[in-house]
Amino acid sequence: MTKENIINDKNQLVDKKLVQKTWFRYWLSAEMSNSYERLQSLSFCYSMIPVLKKLYPEENDLKEALQRHLNFFNTEPTWGAPILGISIAMEEEKSLTKEIPGEAITALKTGLMGPLAGIGDTIDWGTLKTIIYGIAVTFASTGNILGAFIPVLFTVLTFIIGSCLTRFGYTTGKNSVKSILQQGWIKELIFGTSILGLFMMGALTSNFVKITTPLTFAIADGQNIAVQDILNSIAPGILPLCVVFGIYYFLTKGKVNYGLLAIGIVIVCLLCSLLGIL
């Protein structure tokens, strides 16, 4: 069978029931398995197990797929559901055609998890939950028993939305993967999603890594020069940038215990704070 025939074959290894089962697993476990090292990766991998077992009967192929989905992953579960569907579609095409490298699946997950998390946090937790809970509080304040049950609507709605988005991601992702295979865009896909992932990591770094120094030097006439002002004049945010690059340097030195690295960062921060350096 030629590559074109495989791509155009409408017989699917993954059916709707299996896609729904994958979403149900992810919905149950997404916020229960978080770890400091990989956040939702355990949940994502657990959700993909039924699909991967069906797609990869060979033990070595299954191990490789499981390890692929144990890489760092974190997004808003409901609106990040398309990533789950697209991953299923890509794994299915990979098992059929052998044309999709594992790096492409990982790169796509990394590139999409940040933007979709922002959408989900805004719509679900910033808007939908606020409205539903606001209505519930209104009923509860008047002694109406409905106030105790209305919050359940948030769980029901997010489950339905996530289920639809997972199926949408699978359908759209499957068609997209076929087009990518036909056009030979695998390298462009990996490169583009990697750049998107780097943009998101840079944005997260600038927002969450806050480091300043209180050091000052006395000069003539009782005036002081703040080291932080000098650094800001050179490049605002240069200290957080140096710290991020420093941590990245350690991460590139082979296998790193992320737990020990996190403890080391906390110890260094405490020492610098006690010494008045940072």
Side-chain angles (χ1 to χ4, degrees):
M1 184 179 289
T2 64
K3 172 182 169 182
E4 288 74 19
N5 288 334
I6 292 175
I7 292 174
N8 293 320
D9 186 7
K10 294 183 179 180
N11 293 326
Q12 298 178 342
L13 297 177
V14 179
D15 55 24
K16 293 181 179 179
K17 183 177 180 181
L18 192 54
V19 173
Q20 183 65 24
K21 181 178 180 180
T22 304
W23 157 246
F24 185 68
R25 281 186 164 218
Y26 184 63
W27 178 75
L28 283 178
S29 61
E31 300 295 351
M32 297 171 59
S33 65
N34 286 357
S35 68
Y36 288 108
E37 294 185 15
R38 301 179 184 181
L39 288 176
Q40 295 177 0
S41 64
L42 291 176
S43 171
F44 197 96
C45 183
Y46 163 74
S47 305
M48 291 288 291
I49 287 176
V51 172
L52 298 179
K53 283 185 175 180
K54 186 169 185 178
L55 296 179
Y56 302 109
E58 296 293 331
E59 184 177 355
N60 290 334
D61 293 337
L62 178 59
K63 286 182 178 180
E64 180 184 345
L66 291 172
Q67 290 175 352
R68 178 163 56 249
H69 290 292
L70 283 174
N71 288 325
F72 177 89
F73 182 79
N74 186 44
T75 191
E76 198 279 323
T78 302
W79 288 87
I83 302 176
L84 189 65
I86 294 172
S87 297
I88 296 172
M90 295 187 74
E91 291 288 1
E92 184 178 28
E93 290 297 330
K94 177 177 173 62
S95 68
L96 289 172
T97 65
K98 311 297 182 184
E99 295 291 332
I100 299 179
E103 293 81 1
I105 301 174
T106 302
L108 186 137
K109 289 170 57 181
T110 303
L112 291 180
M113 65 183 185
L116 291 180
I119 295 172
D121 288 340
T122 301
I123 295 178
D124 280 358
W125 304 98
T127 304
L128 186 60
K129 185 176 182 179
T130 302
I131 293 174
I132 292 176
Y133 277 54
I135 296 173
V137 168
T138 302
F139 276 89
S141 63
T142 61
N144 194 318
I145 193 172
L146 288 177
F149 297 98
I150 289 178
V152 179
L153 286 175
F154 178 74
T155 302
V156 174
L157 287 175
T158 52
F159 178 83
I160 295 173
I161 293 171
S163 178
C164 294
L165 289 176
T166 302
R167 293 196 299 270
F168 172 78
Y170 172 70
T171 303
T172 305
K174 189 174 180 64
N175 294 333
S176 299
V177 169
K178 290 179 180 179
S179 175
I180 288 169
L181 286 175
Q182 291 171 335
Q183 300 296 329
W185 292 345
I186 286 294
K187 290 184 179 179
E188 288 79 1
L189 172 67
I190 297 175
F191 183 72
T193 51
S194 297
I195 290 177
L196 179 60
L198 290 174
F199 269 112
M200 293 309 302
M201 293 307 296
L204 290 173
T205 298
S206 64
N207 286 330
F208 292 100
V209 181
K210 304 293 185 182
I211 301 176
T212 58
T213 176
L215 291 176
T216 58
F217 293 99
I219 59 176
D221 300 327
Q223 295 181 348
N224 295 325
I225 295 180
V227 174
Q228 186 61 49
D229 293 338
I230 299 175
L231 295 176
N232 289 339
S233 64
I234 298 173
I238 191 172
L239 280 180
L241 182 64
C242 290
V243 170
V244 170
F245 277 121
I247 295 174
Y248 175 76
Y249 172 78
F250 283 105
L251 293 177
T252 58
K253 306 300 290 185
K255 292 185 177 180
V256 179
N257 188 311
Y258 296 100
L260 291 178
L261 180 60
I263 293 173
I265 293 173
V266 171
I267 292 175
V268 171
C269 291
L270 290 174
L271 291 176
C272 290
S273 179
L274 290 174
L275 295 175
I277 299 176
L278 297 175

